[in-house]
Amino acid sequence: MATPRKSRAVVLLSGGMDSCVCAALAVRDYEVAAVHVSYGQRTEERERQSALAICQRLRIHHRLMIRNEALRQIGGSALTDESIDVPEAEAIGQDIPVTYVPFRNAHFLAVAVSWAEVLGAEKVYIGAVEPDSSGYPDCRPAYYKAFNEVVKAGTKNGRIEVVTPLIAMHKAEIVRLGLELGAPFDLTWSCYSREDQACGVCDSCVLRLRAFESAGAQDPIPYAAR
Ligand SMILES: [Zn+2]
């Protein structure tokens, strides 16, 4: 008997470690299509390459590479505005940092839900994480709960669900899960400021390095400083 075809899921793939683990999870359970959004962020070329390489490794053939022009023009974040420096990680978790891109995940989710509706996909995966993160408001569980109400009310059959399988996990647990799933961490990019080697000092690098260290694993990407 032929195995029934898997249901479809759309995965938002930034190219970072969380989205990579999310994609590996989704590939296990669904026929996956991946969306990557470039939005004028400092490391956009490197992240785009990472997303494509991860698709290749995980055999995700259905890809949508999107450019969002609004976020860069709006600015207001160290990631999209050259006049705001990317800070070194000193006060993670105290305030919402300047690397927060205003309401960014809503732009990404809108694209992914639109595509899911066209593809007939049931789920939209996003690798949002709340603990051990920078405290971005669009990574909170309440936000996804509310967003799912919007999706339910605003799509044809109201059956698409945005899922956040990593949201309550600590970064070290995400590393362990990724290793179990064979997620290609070597292809991921997390650094906010550099594209040649990871800087090792921005929030994103520091959180990532801490995660690998507490998972007792070696981060396979090159760093300028550790
Ligand atoms: Zn960095």
Side-chain angles (χ1 to χ4, degrees), residues 16-207:
M17 57 171 274
D18 303 327
S19 74
C20 177
V21 172
C22 238
L25 259 180
V27 161
R28 187 188 65 185
D29 300 331
Y30 290 90
E31 183 189 323
V32 170
V35 190
H36 174 81
V37 186
S38 296
Y39 56 96
Q41 76 276 34
R42 289 168 190 261
T43 54
E44 79 168 22
E45 190 43 44
R46 188 65 187 73
E47 289 178 37
R48 193 174 174 278
Q49 286 168 18
S50 280
L52 286 170
I54 293 164
C55 284
Q56 187 88 10
R57 184 81 65 83
L58 295 177
R59 298 193 178 86
I60 300 170
H61 304 296
H62 214 166
R63 307 165 189 174
L64 186 64
M65 307 301 281
I66 291 287
R67 167 160 290 282
N68 173 307
E69 301 289 353
L71 291 170
R72 170 106 190 171
Q73 287 182 52
I74 292 166
S77 164
L79 303 193
T80 52
D81 184 338
E82 297 292 336
S83 70
I84 306 173
D85 289 335
V86 174
E88 295 193 0
E90 277 161 5
I92 294 172
Q94 295 199 355
D95 283 310
I96 294 169
V98 291
T99 50
Y100 168 62
V101 180
F103 213 49
R104 182 190 66 184
N105 289 354
H107 294 249
F108 294 179
L109 287 167
V111 169
V113 171
S114 294
W115 201 30
E117 196 165 21
V118 171
L119 294 176
E122 288 178 359
K123 306 284 182 201
V124 168
Y125 277 70
I126 181 166
V129 177
E130 191 182 42
D132 307 336
S133 67
S134 293
Y136 299 147
D138 55 357
C139 288
R140 295 172 186 156
Y143 170 86
Y144 291 94
K145 194 164 175 264
F147 202 93
N148 270 321
E149 291 303 313
V150 172
V151 174
K152 201 169 161 188
T155 51
K156 272 191 300 198
N157 67 24
R159 284 202 292 266
I160 299 165
E161 187 194 4
V162 175
V163 293
T164 53
L166 312 182
I167 203 154
M169 291 175 76
H170 289 275
K171 285 288 239 195
E173 297 176 284
I174 297 169
V175 170
R176 280 187 222 110
L177 174 63
L179 293 171
E180 261 171 52
L181 292 165
F185 285 127
D186 57 308
L187 303 175
T188 60
W189 199 256
S190 304
C191 184
Y192 284 151
S193 63
R194 287 177 64 157
E195 298 191 292
D196 55 340
Q197 306 177 81
C199 75
V201 292
C202 72
D203 279 14
S204 188
C205 282
V206 167
L207 289 166

